[in-house]
């Protein structure tokens, strides 16, 4: 198995590798050492994937907060009409 550092994998590739590890651990007779190595790699991938998800969630929250703040500033639907001022 070509084991790149988890940071070098895309989220999708890390997820696929984790899924493959789970399948191997569930479905085949492995030597203890190989099972432990696969398990350790799986834990490493899970930690990295969770970290990436947490980071993405924080970015989404920031973007939502910014868009809501911008909407509150630019929302003029509640402001009184000033169309009559030019008359």
């Amino acid at each position: 198995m070509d084991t790149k550092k988890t940071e070098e994998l895309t989220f999708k590739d890390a997820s696929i590798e984790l899924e493959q590890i789970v399948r191997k651990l569930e479905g085949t007779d492995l030597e203890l050492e190989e099972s432990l190595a696969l398990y350790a790699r799986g834990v490493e991938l899970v930690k990295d994937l969770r970290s990436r998800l947490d980071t993405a969630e924080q970015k989404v929250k920031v973007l939502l907060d910014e868009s809501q703040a911008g909407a509150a500033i630019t929302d003029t639907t509640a402001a009184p009409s000033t169309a009559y001022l030019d008359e």
Side-chain angles (χ1 to χ4, degrees):
M1 180 186 331
D2 179 28
T3 55
K4 292 182 179 180
K5 291 182 179 180
T6 57
E7 307 86 40
E8 294 174 356
L9 297 171
T10 64
F11 186 87
K12 183 177 180 178
D13 288 341
S15 297
I16 290 169
E17 184 179 342
L18 179 60
E19 185 177 332
Q20 290 170 345
I21 288 171
V22 169
R23 286 183 182 163
K24 283 182 183 180
L25 289 171
E26 289 179 341
T28 60
D29 292 328
L30 300 171
E31 293 294 325
L32 178 61
E33 295 79 12
E34 187 178 0
S35 294
L36 289 173
L38 285 170
Y39 185 81
R41 177 65 175 176
V43 169
E44 183 181 340
L45 288 165
V46 166
K47 286 180 182 179
D48 183 67
L49 290 167
R50 281 187 182 156
S51 174
R52 291 185 198 195
L53 285 173
D54 290 343
T55 300
E57 183 179 10
Q58 289 302 316
K59 287 179 181 180
V60 169
K61 284 181 181 179
V62 167
L63 292 171
L64 286 174
D65 289 346
E66 287 176 358
S67 69
Q68 289 172 353
I73 293 170
T74 59
D75 183 12
T76 58
T77 57
S81 174
T82 57
Y84 65 90
L85 293 178
D86 292 333
E87 294 178 357

